[in-house]
Amino acid sequence: MGFTREEKVLWRLDRLLGQHLQNALYRHTCPVSIESWDVAGEPVDFQTAKQAEYRPMSVGDPWGTAWDTWWLHVTGQVPAEWANEADTRPELVVDLGRVGLGPGFQAEGLVRRPDGTVIKAVEPFNGWVPVPEPGQPCEFYIEAASNPQISNGGSFHPTELGNEGVGKEQGIYRLQRLELGLLDLQVWNLIQELKVLEGLLHEVDPTRTRYANILDAIEAALNSIDPNDVAGTARRARQCLVDVLSAPATKGHTVYAVGHAHIDSAWLWPLRETPRKVARTFSNAVELADEYPDFIFAASSAQQYQWLKDSEPDVYEGVKRKIRSGQFVPVGGMWVESDANLPGGESLVRQFLQGGRFFQEEFGVTSHVAWLPDSFGYSGAFPQIARLAGMDYFLTQKISWNDTDTFPFHSFMWQGIDGTEIFTHFPPADKYNSDASPADVARSEKNFTEKGKGASSLLLYGWGDGGGGPTREMVAATELQENLEGGPRVLMTSPETFFRQAKEEMKDPPRWVGELYLELHRGTATSQAATKSGNKRSESLLRQAEWWASQAAILCGTPYPYEELQEIWRKVLLYQFHDILPGSAIAWVYAEVQRSDRKIWSQLEEIIDRSLKALAGSGPVQLEANAGPLSQEGVHAGAVSAPVSTASGQARREGDDTVLENDRVSFRIDASGHVVSAVDRVSDREVIDPAVPANVLRLFVDAPAHWDAWDIEKTYQDMELPGAQVEETTLTDQGTVTVSGTIGQSTFSQELSLDDDTDALVIRTHVDWKESDRLLKLSFPTNLYTKESVNEIQFGHLTRPVTENTSWEQARFEAAAQRWVHIQEGDFGVSLANCTNYGHDIHQFVLPDGRPGTRIQISLLRAPHFPDPRADLGEHDFTVALGVGTDIRRAIRMGYRLNVPVRRLTGAHPVDPLVEVDGQDVLIESVKLAEDRSGDLVVRLYESAGARSRARLTACFDWSSVDEVGLMEVPCDAVQPAIRSKGEEGIDLELHPFQIVTLRFHRP
């Protein structure tokens, strides 16, 4: 069997790169002295480590237990004779021991000088450290993190390695290399050039002359290399490549290359490890920026800069220096790269407010590029929020992961639920951690869907997820492809430069309207239920704390807790990171979050109590405080007053059934705790078929094909398990139905009661969850015929089809909603509100009479095993409310009623609202004092019904003027004026559908 010339040339090339050139990369090496100290616990500071007792260590020795830290003390002398070697550079060469995956998922190290200042990091594929000139002594301290490899090559087997604390297994790594080396620059450059040409060869049409020229040049270079004298022949080999490397690219597509290192703020490592990842990655970026003047590195997440400021001030100063020079670019303007579906509207606002203010105060820069490459889908409210925060552009990558449909655009205008648009780009290389190879560069052009409309795309290169960032090899590849025939032009640039160019050249970009739904990772709306319900509780308490603290500050002169609220907000925002709140991190992360949540709630309760005491005084009067935007129990929004009793409900037994009813609704609960009748008495409409009852716990086999904590496969629908076994149903003296029983291996109990304030059936469910690979849903089948559902998202709602006509509809079998969902047949509706959950599925089904009905199901619990093998095991509480005969307004009321309930207290007197709105569809979402500590009051409202609405806002305090501002609490070009008039009687507003309005009241 014969082989082609091309095959032989490529075989020779692979051997040359992998053997001869690699072996000749360092002309000479020199040993160093190594000592080590095992911290055997949590990381320590440099001064502690420097004073520790070290013992000798040798290359080849094992080291490290899971999550432990070892300090290596390295001393040596750079040989003086190396100064006589041309085209060389002395370096410290370090390999802590790579076991499979790339940087960010295993051993990493941060190298320091004897005074503790940072030089750079060492990681797999980036193991070099600059050293003094030849003839000089050298001394280093390496803080080596023995982070275990949680996921072995992408497998998802349960592992205990994600548990809190340092592990017990000894020697999970072995020190592979630690010595001084004299880097041969001719050999190093030859390697980079050959790799780029080899990659380009695979992208060029083999019938074209360019292909033959590259192949000839590579073969000539191979023929020029003497394996026994690589150093002496490398320059000659490089000369063979000059012509093919100098041939310019034709005019066409341009790839804008940005150095990047996506660093998950927590994922397969604990939160305490991320500041060290940031220090390692950012120090590498600063080092590269010093060496390569054209290199530009973009990094998001103000939280990560804050960590760096706190932990490594010298690296932070280096970052600030490079920000001033334009080589280090803060992007995103958010506190972290948060999830974009689950956080509430005000939380997304604060992501931008806290992040943007940090960037401005620390660096004097404002990012105009919203940056969420890896979040699991994007709310239809996001375009308006981002634009009002000063963002002009949006970047993401994740929608390319769709498991069913290919998203049709790469550069487009994304239109949100209110009509606001933001120019959006998906890098067509389909990754945010490219190695800048010719394959990725070529893919950027091949995949780009807007050919003819535009000719620019973005390439993010650098090791990511666990950090690491670009390597010098990647930068070299980028430079070599700047203007190289056979591929698109590659320019190192900033993200904003790319976006300006891309938007300018696309005069009529395509449009996508509504949410960017990710057809994957649907389980992230349900996994780690305690963290999700905890987030909703934190959001509710923060709203109340700010509302009452603002009122107390203005009316009573009580000091406003600026610092405390900022600290709490930043914690909550951190926990909304896209691998924390969605439930896809290791167990250690959730143990820390839940401890922190309890502290946060205690702090917020103290702020609320302190503020209400200042407002209402001390006394025996029974009062209720309502921080919600709508009246509850007769207490006006923003008021503290005595409740007005509207109770008209009654509970009675009828045989084995229990009826809970008032003048407007009636619910019948059978002996199994199921709702077998739900009647709107106003219209005399029944919504439940007793053969298909509601409030049914349903258990399914939940066995994802790949991403355990992330995914729910649609096949779960075909694997339902036996239902609940009810042991007892009783009616209490308080008119509450109690149910207890088992489902699967778990026990549960429920309390069902009628809320006269909203005419809703409130169902509180407690589950002691003991399942494995299971999905628990609470089901509400109805006889309503509809083709779409209404789902609350941040600052509004959107519709989703309940049919399965298209692949797009079929793929949306599980989706997130905020506080409520709603279905409607004509002018009659059914709503389901909650204060603990996000995941829903709402679909048509066939009723016993053959007619189509609509089933609402809310996902309560899952039981995945990776990355947390005991995810969700234990006790959980969930609360939902079922309303019949409802409309959108009542659904909204039900949602706020559960999430921001009235607070009971005793005091001396009632308190009038600080601000009031008389339009029923314009709701106040936030009342707070301005972040700049001026004492100005900030009031955020939004139009909730999806229709043009008018309202009058009355401010019950002295104010000198009022401005409409952006979310940063300063004027913003994206603000669309809503004030029609203002005077002593109030401020008249007109809002377009789902418009967000932020008013800043200046106080005299």
Side-chain angles (χ1 to χ4, degrees):
M1 178 180 180
F3 299 104
T4 66
R5 173 197 170 213
E6 289 86 349
E7 288 174 324
K8 290 182 179 180
V9 169
L10 291 175
W11 289 344
R12 290 180 63 196
L13 177 58
D14 287 343
R15 184 175 181 186
L16 181 76
L17 289 170
Q19 180 181 347
H20 300 304
L21 296 185
Q22 196 62 41
N23 292 341
L25 191 56
Y26 289 95
R27 288 188 192 175
H28 309 291
T29 59
C30 177
V32 292
S33 175
I34 311 169
E35 297 176 304
S36 66
W37 173 57
D38 178 6
V39 176
E42 286 298 284
V44 300
D45 60 32
F46 173 73
Q47 291 303 323
T48 300
K50 188 174 183 179
Q51 296 167 13
E53 184 176 345
Y54 287 73
R55 59 185 180 186
M57 185 180 188
S58 300
V59 171
D61 287 350
W63 69 279
T65 59
W67 306 120
D68 197 2
T69 300
W70 280 45
W71 284 81
L72 309 183
H73 181 213
V74 181
T75 56
Q77 179 89 16
V78 183
E81 59 270 22
W82 286 5
N84 301 320
E85 302 264 1
D87 293 329
T88 61
R89 183 169 68 188
E91 298 177 339
L92 184 70
V93 189
V94 186
D95 185 346
L96 295 172
R98 182 164 60 90
V99 295
L101 295 179
F105 298 94
Q106 51 185 298
E108 309 171 60
L110 190 63
V111 185
R112 301 174 185 269
R113 301 176 184 89
D115 64 359
T117 56
V118 172
I119 303 174
K120 67 178 293 288
V122 288
E123 307 184 60
F125 313 117
N126 190 352
W128 63 276
V129 181
V131 299
E133 293 297 319
Q136 299 296 314
C138 58
E139 181 179 7
F140 306 97
Y141 285 87
I142 304 176
E143 182 185 12
S146 57
N147 299 334
Q149 184 175 244
I150 299 290
S151 174
N152 186 10
S155 65
F156 291 83
H157 300 297
T159 174
E160 301 297 327
L161 290 174
N163 291 342
E164 186 171 7
V166 171
K168 297 180 180 179
E169 181 185 356
Q170 298 292 325
I172 63 174
Y173 293 105
R174 189 173 296 274
L175 185 62
Q176 297 292 334
R177 188 174 188 181
L178 185 47
E179 61 185 353
L180 292 168
L182 187 64
L183 180 68
D184 190 318
L185 294 174
Q186 289 293 334
V187 174
W188 186 87
N189 280 294
L190 177 60
I191 291 173
Q192 312 319 312
E193 292 161 356
L194 286 172
K195 283 185 174 180
V196 164
L197 288 173
E198 180 185 28
L200 188 61
L201 196 66
H202 292 297
E203 304 303 325
V204 174
D205 184 345
T207 65
R208 302 300 297 270
T209 302
R210 177 62 169 164
Y211 183 91
N213 290 341
I214 295 172
L215 190 68
D216 288 347
I218 291 175
E219 186 173 35
L222 296 177
N223 294 339
S224 299
I225 289 288
D226 181 354
N228 293 320
D229 185 19
V230 173
T233 55
R235 183 185 294 274
R236 184 174 63 195
R238 291 187 68 197
Q239 287 298 315
C240 300
L241 308 177
V242 169
D243 288 344
V244 289
L245 289 171
S246 301
T250 57
K251 184 178 180 180
H253 196 82
T254 300
V255 173
Y256 291 80
V258 176
H260 183 237
H262 181 68
I263 306 175
D264 288 320
S265 291
W267 180 28
L268 303 182
W269 49 86
L271 280 156
R272 64 87 155 147
E273 187 59 28
T274 315
R276 302 205 296 177
K277 288 181 175 290
V278 172
R280 292 188 283 259
T281 301
F282 284 19
S283 64
N284 283 346
V286 170
E287 175 72 25
L288 280 175
D290 283 339
E291 184 165 351
Y292 296 92
D294 294 331
F295 171 71
I296 294 178
F297 180 79
S300 70
S301 305
Q303 171 70 85
Q304 297 188 1
Y305 291 85
Q306 179 69 65
W307 277 331
L308 187 68
K309 179 182 180 181
D310 295 339
S311 63
E312 303 294 345
D314 60 311
V315 180
Y316 190 67
E317 287 304 314
V319 168
K320 292 176 72 172
R321 173 169 55 88
K322 290 303 175 183
I323 290 174
R324 289 191 295 269
S325 72
Q327 287 185 270
F328 204 115
V329 183
V331 292
M334 299 176 74
W335 189 248
V336 297
E337 290 184 13
S338 72
D339 184 87
N341 284 318
L342 309 184
E346 195 61 27
S347 289
L348 289 181
V349 168
R350 302 308 176 89
Q351 288 285 354
F352 284 107
L353 180 59
Q354 290 293 330
R357 283 185 61 84
F358 182 92
F359 284 168
Q360 185 58 236
E361 291 171 359
E362 290 291 319
F363 312 130
V365 301
T366 299
S367 172
H368 296 286
V369 182
W371 191 273
L372 291 176
D374 193 32
S375 299
F376 309 144
Y378 306 91
S379 163
F382 195 85
Q384 183 181 194
I385 294 171
R387 292 286 291 116
L388 287 173
M391 302 294 121
D392 296 319
Y393 314 108
F394 176 54
L395 176 134
T396 183
Q397 181 66 72
K398 205 65 176 186
I399 304 300
S400 69
W401 284 42
N402 276 2
D403 63 7
T404 304
D405 300 287
T406 300
F407 194 81
F409 313 127
H410 286 107
S411 289
F412 60 99
M413 296 300 294
W414 177 23
Q415 185 182 111
I417 57 172
D418 75 307
T420 297
E421 295 183 334
I422 189 167
F423 186 75
T424 300
H425 183 69
F426 293 169
D430 283 348
K431 58 176 65 174
Y432 51 77
N433 51 5
S434 168
D435 60 359
S437 65
D440 286 353
V441 170
R443 192 181 304 112
S444 297
E445 180 179 18
K446 292 175 183 176
N447 288 354
F448 186 61
T449 51
E450 282 67 59
K451 297 182 182 73
K453 289 179 175 286
S456 302
S457 64
L458 194 63
L459 180 74
L460 305 179
Y461 68 95
W463 292 104
D465 289 326
T471 64
R472 59 187 180 185
E473 289 79 12
M474 295 177 189
V475 178
T478 303
E479 290 184 331
L480 286 166
Q481 296 175 84
E482 179 181 357
N483 190 14
L484 187 59
E485 184 185 354
R489 293 194 66 198
V490 179
L491 298 179
M492 286 193 281
T493 189
S494 70
E496 197 162 335
T497 298
F498 156 74
F499 270 104
R500 283 198 300 266
Q501 170 63 28
K503 187 177 181 181
E504 174 65 25
E505 69 190 20
M506 294 189 70
K507 303 302 182 184
D508 184 24
R511 277 170 172 76
W512 182 269
V513 180
E515 67 182 329
L516 293 174
Y517 176 85
L518 176 62
E519 296 176 353
L520 193 72
H521 294 355
R522 302 168 184 88
T524 59
T526 303
S527 297
Q528 297 289 356
T531 297
K532 289 176 167 60
S533 62
N535 178 70
K536 286 199 170 188
R537 182 175 180 183
S538 293
E539 290 178 332
S540 172
L541 290 173
L542 274 162
R543 174 196 178 99
Q544 297 175 58
E546 288 186 332
W547 191 301
W548 300 125
S550 299
Q551 198 148 333
I554 291 176
L555 298 182
C556 308
T558 305
Y560 189 80
Y562 289 106
E563 296 299 331
E564 190 174 7
L565 285 170
Q566 176 175 279
E567 177 188 355
I568 292 170
W569 262 117
R570 288 181 173 184
K571 283 284 188 183
V572 172
L573 298 177
L574 169 60
Y575 302 151
Q576 292 172 350
F577 175 73
H578 68 254
D579 271 312
I580 298 180
L581 184 56
S584 49
I586 58 175
W588 190 340
V589 173
Y590 296 105
E592 179 175 343
V593 169
Q594 289 168 31
R595 283 195 301 269
S596 182
D597 275 349
R598 290 190 288 271
K599 181 180 177 182
I600 285 169
W601 301 335
S602 177
Q603 289 177 279
L604 291 171
E605 291 285 1
E606 289 179 8
I607 294 172
I608 294 168
D609 289 346
R610 185 168 67 241
S611 301
L612 287 173
K613 285 177 181 177
L615 287 163
S618 298
V621 180
Q622 298 294 318
L623 300 169
E624 288 185 351
N626 178 15
L630 299 163
S631 296
Q632 297 185 65
E633 300 181 17
V635 180
H636 292 302
V640 181
S641 65
V644 177
S645 177
T646 58
S648 63
Q650 59 178 323
R652 69 176 190 274
R653 296 299 298 265
E654 289 188 359
D656 291 336
D657 295 349
T658 303
V659 177
L660 304 179
E661 63 182 359
N662 61 21
D663 295 339
R664 298 168 295 278
V665 293
S666 175
F667 297 93
R668 180 180 293 271
I669 298 100
D670 70 8
S672 296
H674 298 156
V675 179
V676 293
S677 172
V679 175
D680 173 46
R681 302 180 77 172
V682 175
S683 63
D684 193 28
R685 170 71 186 268
E686 170 69 74
V687 303
I688 303 293
D689 185 317
V692 193
N695 187 40
V696 176
L697 288 168
R698 302 180 71 191
L699 190 66
F700 301 88
V701 173
D702 179 25
H706 198 51
W707 299 84
D708 251 30
W710 294 260
D711 284 353
I712 293 175
E713 303 284 356
K714 193 173 185 179
T715 51
Y716 86 85
Q717 298 170 352
D718 301 321
M719 297 185 287
E720 186 168 3
L721 296 165
Q725 300 297 311
V726 174
E727 298 172 355
E728 185 179 19
T729 302
T730 61
L731 175 62
T732 70
D733 293 339
Q734 292 74 37
T736 298
V737 178
T738 65
V739 183
S740 61
T742 60
I743 186 162
Q745 304 301 311
S746 305
T747 58
F748 77 94
S749 61
Q750 287 187 320
E751 294 181 355
L752 293 82
S753 60
L754 184 61
D755 177 24
D756 282 307
D757 198 61
T758 58
D759 300 326
L761 180 68
V762 178
I763 304 167
R764 294 177 172 84
T765 303
H766 178 84
V767 181
D768 187 359
W769 189 239
K770 301 175 182 177
E771 306 302 315
S772 172
D773 299 312
R774 297 292 185 262
L775 170 62
L776 182 66
K777 287 176 173 279
L778 189 57
S779 181
F780 296 87
T782 75
N783 60 20
L784 272 66
Y785 172 57
T786 185
K787 299 180 183 66
E788 61 186 20
S789 64
V790 184
N791 306 262
E792 190 195 29
I793 63 172
Q794 300 85 351
F795 297 111
H797 54 264
L798 53 74
T799 60
R800 294 179 178 130
V802 301
T803 55
E804 296 189 351
N805 292 333
T806 68
S807 60
W808 294 88
E809 293 178 0
Q810 293 163 17
R812 197 180 276 107
F813 58 84
E814 185 89 5
Q818 284 285 308
R819 292 169 289 214
W820 55 266
V821 295
H822 176 81
I823 55 175
Q824 190 134 342
E825 180 186 288
D827 60 358
F828 183 89
V830 170
S831 305
L832 187 72
N834 86 91
C835 61
T836 46
N837 301 82
Y838 296 99
H840 294 75
D841 76 90
I842 308 174
H843 289 93
Q844 285 187 353
F845 75 108
V846 179
L847 289 158
D849 63 2
R851 290 282 302 161
T854 306
R855 177 186 281 119
I856 302 173
Q857 295 192 133
I858 186 166
S859 298
L860 301 184
L861 287 163
R862 300 187 63 225
H865 298 295
F866 183 88
D868 178 0
R870 286 178 289 277
D872 281 326
L873 294 181
E875 300 192 29
H876 300 269
D877 291 286
F878 308 100
T879 301
V880 303
L882 175 66
V884 297
T886 58
D887 56 13
I888 296 296
R889 291 191 180 104
R890 195 160 133 211
I892 293 170
R893 179 176 294 277
M894 288 167 56
Y896 277 111
R897 170 76 165 157
L898 287 185
N899 284 270
V900 194
V902 291
R903 179 176 292 267
R904 291 171 173 80
L905 68 150
T906 59
H909 52 77
V911 181
D912 290 334
L914 190 66
V915 290
E916 290 185 280
V917 175
D918 68 0
Q920 63 179 342
D921 294 327
V922 177
L923 305 181
I924 296 177
E925 188 63 12
S926 176
V927 173
K928 63 185 290 291
L929 293 195
E931 293 293 317
D932 62 7
R933 313 314 199 240
S934 63
D936 291 351
L937 184 72
V938 173
V939 179
R940 191 155 14 259
L941 315 94
Y942 74 103
E943 199 289 317
S944 63
R948 192 169 294 274
S949 298
R950 290 185 176 183
R952 171 169 290 180
L953 183 143
T954 305
C956 305
F957 62 94
D958 291 334
W959 53 277
S960 57
S961 62
V962 61
D963 293 327
E964 295 182 72
V965 296
L967 304 183
M968 304 304 294
E969 303 177 357
V970 295
C972 174
D973 291 342
V975 169
Q976 300 182 45
I979 295 178
R980 299 173 59 242
S981 64
K982 50 190 173 183
E984 292 183 1
E985 295 185 356
I987 300 169
D988 290 324
L989 303 166
E990 182 172 339
L991 281 67
H992 64 242
F994 302 128
Q995 182 179 359
I996 303 168
V997 174
T998 304
L999 301 178
R1000 179 168 182 155
F1001 289 88
H1002 302 279
R1003 296 165 57 211

